[in-house]
């Protein structure tokens, strides 16, 4: 069994997966340490592991994973991946973005792919049907936009929205006006990327992932075409990490 760890800015996602890509279990930690790693190895039949992080990883976590795994991958810009990375500065590319691209490609190997990760920031990444990662864009996330509106003005309140809230087209009060401006604005961003790609190519698949994806999902899916083109994958980064682990494990066995 494979242990896949995605350490983000505010939480750590963990999945137990098979080489065939089946997810056995998954967990979310607000705080994650080597003690949690030891506990996972004690509870489950884990043989191999991979960790990706957008923050500094504790040395104790890395040491424990290395000690208890038959095959361990510390995912960084030097790690071999099963797609071609054409980013000009691969050392600055977030591992979560690259892992999500690999995950999407493993699920739709012959498609052009738009990968949207709605987390603290929103990233838009593109992978060709030939498996070439062509780069992407970074924009402020939902919470960031709400916070900026409140902090950069004197009278606007800090707004929070519910995950399944259907946002109006136009707000009839200040709270709804802010919610609609932010959520609808992101929805139109997404539609704009999709419309541009639709004009440039015959086929593509959009993947939507990230902790804030459900906030915008219902506000983007407004037509039959968009419903077909948008695929929500909650654990896309973890799927990608598992694919990268298997790719490296297979390569090492051939050596």
């Amino acid at each position: 069994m494979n242990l896949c760890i995605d350490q983000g800015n505010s939480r750590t996602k963990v999945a137990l997966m098979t080489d065939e890509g089946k997810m056995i279990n998954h967990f979310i930690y607000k705080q994650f340490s080597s003690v949690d790693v030891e506990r996972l190895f004690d509870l489950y039949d884990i043989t191999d592991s991979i960790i990706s992080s957008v923050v500094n990883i504790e040395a104790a976590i890395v040491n424990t994973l290395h000690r208890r795994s038959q095959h361990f991958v510390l995912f960084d810009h030097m790690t071999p991946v099963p797609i071609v990375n054409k980013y000009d500065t691969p050392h600055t590319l977030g591992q979560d973005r690259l892992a999500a691209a690999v995950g999407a490609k493993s699920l739709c190997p012959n498609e052009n792919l738009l990968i949207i990760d709605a987390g603290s920031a929103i990233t838009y990444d593109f992978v060709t049907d030939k498996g070439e990662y062509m780069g992407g864009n970074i924009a402020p996330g939902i919470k960031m936009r709400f916070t900026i509106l409140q902090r950069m003005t004197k009278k606007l309140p800090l707004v929070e929205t519910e995950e399944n809230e259907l946002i109006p087209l136009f707000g009839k009060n200040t709270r709804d006006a802010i919610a609609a401006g932010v959520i609808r604005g992101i929805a139109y961003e997404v539609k704009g990327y999709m419309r541009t790609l639709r004009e440039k190519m015959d086929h593509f698949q959009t993947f939507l992932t990230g902790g804030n994806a459900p906030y915008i999902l219902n506000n983007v899916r407004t037509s039959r075409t968009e419903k077909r083109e948008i695929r929500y994958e909650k654990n896309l980064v973890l799927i990608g990490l598992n694919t990268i682990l298997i790719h490296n494990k297979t390569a090492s066995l051939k050596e």
Side-chain angles (χ1 to χ4, degrees):
M1 191 182 301
N2 301 326
L3 174 62
C4 304
I5 305 169
D6 171 29
Q7 198 165 38
N9 288 303
S10 58
R11 58 185 183 171
T12 299
K13 292 183 178 180
V14 174
L16 299 169
M17 302 187 69
T18 67
D19 280 359
E20 293 71 35
K22 181 180 179 181
M23 186 171 292
I24 306 301
N25 211 336
H26 64 93
F27 313 93
I28 296 177
Y29 296 83
K30 289 186 177 180
Q31 300 291 331
F32 189 71
S33 69
S34 60
V35 174
D36 298 302
V37 176
E38 294 279 12
R39 186 178 296 115
L40 287 166
F41 273 90
D42 290 340
L43 291 174
Y44 298 95
D45 185 21
I46 298 168
T47 56
D48 307 302
S49 64
I50 183 171
I51 186 169
S52 170
S53 180
V54 298
V55 297
N56 292 328
I57 309 174
E58 291 181 17
I61 292 177
V62 175
N63 292 337
T64 303
L65 289 169
H66 192 276
R67 173 171 52 83
R68 299 207 58 171
S69 303
Q70 293 180 20
H71 191 92
F72 168 61
V73 173
L74 176 58
F75 183 43
D76 61 19
H77 69 280
M78 298 294 291
T79 305
V81 295
I83 61 175
V84 179
N85 187 355
K86 293 204 167 185
Y87 210 58
D88 288 342
T89 54
H91 61 284
T92 69
L93 177 62
Q95 287 109 354
D96 53 343
R97 292 173 63 190
L98 186 57
V102 171
K105 200 62 186 173
S106 72
L107 297 173
C108 290
N110 300 313
E111 278 284 1
N112 297 301
L113 301 170
L114 171 64
I115 301 111
I116 303 168
D117 192 338
S120 300
I122 301 176
T123 57
Y124 301 88
D125 293 292
F126 182 70
V127 180
T128 69
D129 54 3
K130 296 179 181 179
E132 298 171 321
Y133 174 80
M134 305 303 293
N137 300 332
I138 304 172
I142 293 175
K143 186 175 181 180
M144 196 179 299
R145 298 185 198 208
F146 283 140
T147 302
I148 290 171
L149 277 173
Q150 189 268 330
R151 289 184 179 178
M152 299 297 290
T153 61
K154 292 184 178 180
K155 292 186 177 181
L156 293 181
L158 180 61
V159 169
E160 294 184 359
T161 56
E162 298 294 329
E163 189 172 287
N164 296 317
E165 183 177 351
L166 189 60
I167 302 300
L169 182 59
F170 295 106
K172 292 185 177 181
N173 56 67
T174 301
R175 185 267 175 198
D176 286 353
I178 293 173
V182 170
I183 304 297
R184 286 281 179 183
I186 292 171
Y188 292 137
E189 275 184 28
V190 171
K191 292 179 182 181
Y193 280 105
M194 293 175 65
R195 182 173 61 251
T196 300
L197 290 177
R198 201 178 293 120
E199 292 170 353
K200 291 179 177 294
M201 55 194 61
D202 294 331
H203 58 88
F204 72 96
Q205 173 70 55
T206 299
F207 278 90
L208 182 60
T209 191
N212 288 328
Y215 286 81
I216 63 175
L217 191 60
N218 291 333
N219 294 287
V220 176
R221 286 177 167 171
T222 57
S223 72
R224 291 182 179 179
T225 300
E226 286 161 353
K227 285 181 179 179
R228 288 197 304 269
E229 289 179 351
I230 296 178
R231 177 171 171 177
Y232 173 52
E233 285 291 343
K234 180 179 180 181
N235 297 303
L236 191 60
V237 172
L238 291 168
I239 292 170
L241 289 176
N242 191 54
T243 304
I244 293 165
L245 174 58
I246 295 166
H247 177 75
N248 283 267
K249 184 166 54 175
T250 302
S252 68
L253 292 173
K254 291 180 179 179
E255 293 177 352

